[in-house]
């Protein structure tokens, strides 16, 4: 089990962001925005101890792993999810801040729906002329 104190720096960053809830996911410390997790302590047994799960898009994840595989990694269980595993013992404080802020932005943006004035609901009436 991850030490609660290992999540304190992540929690401190998260508390500076809007609409963040400090909670748990699968019994591990987590940060959520509007009910959606954006960073947590990994709970799956395949992850190394004291590892963070940080939500992000796949291209960013792949670039981080390629650039610094000693800090960022994946295990099979996480491959299909838009996230990266982060070894807390290796991540620099400035990089941790960027990860948490970026994950918050990523999950918050996913919640928003595009606005274009169109509705998903269609009618069978022809358009007015």
């Amino acid at each position: 089990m991850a030490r609660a104190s290992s999540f304190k720096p992540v929690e401190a960053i998260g508390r500076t962001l809007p609409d963040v809830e400090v909670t748990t996911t699968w019994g591990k410390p987590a940060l959520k925005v509007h009910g959606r997790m954006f960073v947590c302590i990994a709970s799956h047994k395949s992850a190394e101890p004291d590892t963070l799960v940080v939500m992000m898009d796949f291209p960013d994840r792949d670039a981080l792993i390629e650039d610094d595989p000693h800090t960022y990694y994946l295990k099979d269980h996480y491959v299909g999810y838009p996230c990266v595993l982060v070894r807390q013992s290796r991540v620099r404080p400035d990089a941790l801040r960027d990860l948490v802020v970026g994950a918050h932005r990523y999950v918050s943006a996913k919640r928003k729906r595009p606005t274009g004035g169109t509705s998903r609901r269609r009618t069978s009436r022809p358009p007015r002329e």
Side-chain angles (χ1 to χ4, degrees), residues 15 25 39 46 54 57 70 83 90 101 105 111 129:
R15 288 187 183 279
T25 297
V39 64
S46 66
V54 179
D57 64 19
H70 297 294
C83 67
R90 297 196 52 93
V101 170
R105 187 176 302 123
R111 180 178 180 266
E129 293 183 7

Side-chain angles (χ1 to χ4, degrees), residues 38-108:
F38 65 96
V39 64
C40 68
I41 296 288
S43 60
H44 194 267
K45 63 184 178 184
S46 66
E48 296 172 16
D50 210 26
T51 290
L52 293 174
V53 177
V54 179
M55 303 305 288
M56 65 179 53
D57 64 19
F58 293 104
D60 289 343
R61 169 185 83 183
D62 296 343
L64 284 174
I65 293 169
E66 184 177 329
D67 289 345
D68 187 359
H70 297 294
T71 304
Y72 308 101
Y73 71 104
L74 275 181
K75 290 294 185 177
D76 288 344
H77 174 77
Y78 296 93
V79 169
Y81 297 99
C83 67
V84 69
L85 299 175
V86 182
R87 293 176 178 100
Q88 286 193 87
S89 63
R90 297 196 52 93
V91 69
R92 295 181 332 270
D94 59 327
L96 179 62
R97 176 169 260 312
D98 290 347
L99 287 165
V100 173
V101 170
H104 179 270
R105 187 176 302 123
Y106 174 75
V107 170
S108 294

Side-chain angles (χ1 to χ4, degrees), residues 5 33-34 65 70 82 85 90 117 120 128:
S5 62
V33 58
H34 301 290
I65 293 169
H70 297 294
L85 299 175
R90 297 196 52 93
R120 289 184 180 207
R128 293 184 183 181

